[in-house]
Amino acid sequence: MGSRRGLAVLFNPFCPLSTAKVLALKATVLLLLTLLIKARVQIAAGSALGILLLLVQTLVFLAISGGLVLAAGGAAVYATQRRRPAAA
């Protein structure tokens, strides 16, 4: 009885949606959902890549600044050792 009611709706001439229109809408919704999921995955992957690049950039900055501190400290030690014999 339920299937007879469904067939009556599909073949109703006053129904604005035909079977082809319903199938086209279903296909469009499926396509849009697929594109939405794909975009969400790309955003997540892009965010992960961005976080990874930010981490690498931070580590490189810390390494370079640490190297500069060591170089400045070495230069200061060298300068103080060089001045001592001259002062003595």
Side-chain angles (χ1 to χ4, degrees):
M1 192 165 177
S3 63
R4 292 177 85 200
R5 187 177 298 160
L7 287 176
V9 170
L10 288 178
F11 294 117
N12 186 355
F14 299 109
C15 182
L17 296 176
S18 65
T19 305
K21 287 182 182 179
V22 170
L23 290 177
L25 283 174
K26 284 183 180 182
T28 303
V29 168
L30 183 64
L31 176 67
L32 290 175
L33 282 175
T34 306
L35 290 173
L36 179 64
I37 292 169
K38 179 184 168 212
R40 295 289 257 172
V41 168
Q42 285 179 341
I43 288 171
S47 296
L49 181 64
I51 290 171
L52 179 68
L53 290 176
L54 179 64
L55 180 65
V56 168
Q57 180 183 2
T58 304
L59 291 175
V60 167
F61 172 75
L62 290 175
I64 290 173
S65 62
L68 289 174
V69 167
L70 285 176
V77 169
Y78 179 74
T80 55
Q81 286 180 354
R82 196 161 182 212
R83 287 185 196 162
R84 282 189 188 165

